[in-house]
Amino acid sequence: MKHGKRYNAAAAAVERGKSYDVSEAFAKIPEIATAKFDETIEAHFKLGVDPRQADQQVRGTVVLPNGTGKNVRVLVIAKGDKADIAEKAGADIVGAEEIIAKIQNENYLDFDVVITSPDMMGQLGRVARILGPRGLMPSPKAGTITQDIAKAIADTKAGKVEYRVDKTSIVHCIIGKKSFGAQKLQENFDTLLDAIVRAKPAAAKGTYVKSVFVTPAMGPGIKINVRG
């Protein structure tokens, strides 16, 4: 795969094959995140689990202490008092059947997170085929099907992220923006790593965290030395 001069210059700052200590890795972010915009920084965890097995799933949510740096657009599907609570709590869009119909008929997807109350899940099932593949379908594990709408909105706006192992046994997750600086990015990373370690399935054997990389959206990755 061919890369441009900017990418190659950034890659030259990373020693090939080396596993960096956590603090050393995040200190290098300015050298590898050289795009002209505020790049998103991601963490990628290769886990020693078999995601084909139901008892080896790794999934959960965690609130990053410094947020994600992203303006999250929250859609709340609710009625009555819960809709009023959602509006007061800062939801960007609030609706019920009319929003579900708009998603179904117009492929409306101008939002990043969907939160709903349990009583609306029967109707929301009509658009599961649209929301599901995009990772937008609410779920109890993600805390997006809840009676406590206000808390779910607050957590999401504060920087709650969902982590989930994919079919290749990797967890991909945003941990912030380049502008956060090394300390805040490391704090977010440490929080996410701790959550993933605590989510280790009892059925997982051997090394759990096999490898970890942090990478800017447009730059090379840095391998981090963590104990699995």
Side-chain angles (χ1 to χ4, degrees), residues 66-224:
N66 301 299
T68 64
K70 182 179 180 181
N71 181 26
V72 182
R73 298 165 298 173
V74 176
L75 164 63
V76 174
I77 305 292
K79 289 181 176 181
D81 292 343
K82 288 187 174 59
D84 294 337
I85 290 170
E87 290 179 351
K88 292 176 182 177
D92 298 278
I93 312 155
V94 181
E97 291 90 351
E98 74 283 3
I99 293 293
I100 295 172
K102 191 172 182 179
I103 295 170
Q104 186 174 27
N105 300 326
E106 302 175 26
N107 206 39
Y108 174 68
L109 294 166
D110 193 19
F111 45 84
D112 303 300
V113 175
V114 182
I115 296 169
T116 189
S117 53
D119 60 294
M120 293 299 298
M121 278 305 296
Q123 297 183 59
L124 200 55
R126 289 160 39 197
V127 292
R129 290 184 180 180
I130 298 173
L131 299 180
R134 295 170 173 83
L136 293 170
M137 192 66 185
S139 74
K141 288 187 177 180
T144 46
I145 301 175
T146 178
Q147 296 286 6
D148 196 345
I149 297 290
K151 183 179 186 302
I153 294 170
D155 286 348
T156 300
K157 293 285 188 178
K160 184 176 77 172
V161 295
E162 180 180 7
Y163 57 87
R164 183 177 187 178
V165 69
D166 67 12
K167 63 183 180 180
T168 63
S169 304
I170 298 175
V171 172
H172 310 272
C173 202
I174 293 172
I175 56 170
K177 295 284 188 177
K178 174 177 66 175
S179 60
F180 281 22
Q183 182 176 342
K184 288 185 177 180
L185 286 171
Q186 186 174 334
E187 288 171 356
N188 280 358
F189 172 83
D190 288 343
T191 299
L192 176 61
L193 174 61
D194 181 63
I196 291 173
V197 169
R198 285 188 284 106
K200 179 181 179 179
K205 306 300 180 184
T207 302
Y208 176 53
V209 182
K210 290 191 169 183
S211 65
V212 181
F213 285 81
V214 291
T215 175
M218 302 295 291
I222 301 177
K223 188 176 184 179
I224 293 182

Side-chain angles (χ1 to χ4, degrees), residues 3 5-16 20 31-32 219-221:
H3 294 289
K5 291 182 180 179
R6 183 197 60 77
Y7 182 98
N8 290 333
V14 180
E15 187 177 332
R16 183 173 295 181
Y20 288 81
E31 296 180 60
I32 64 169

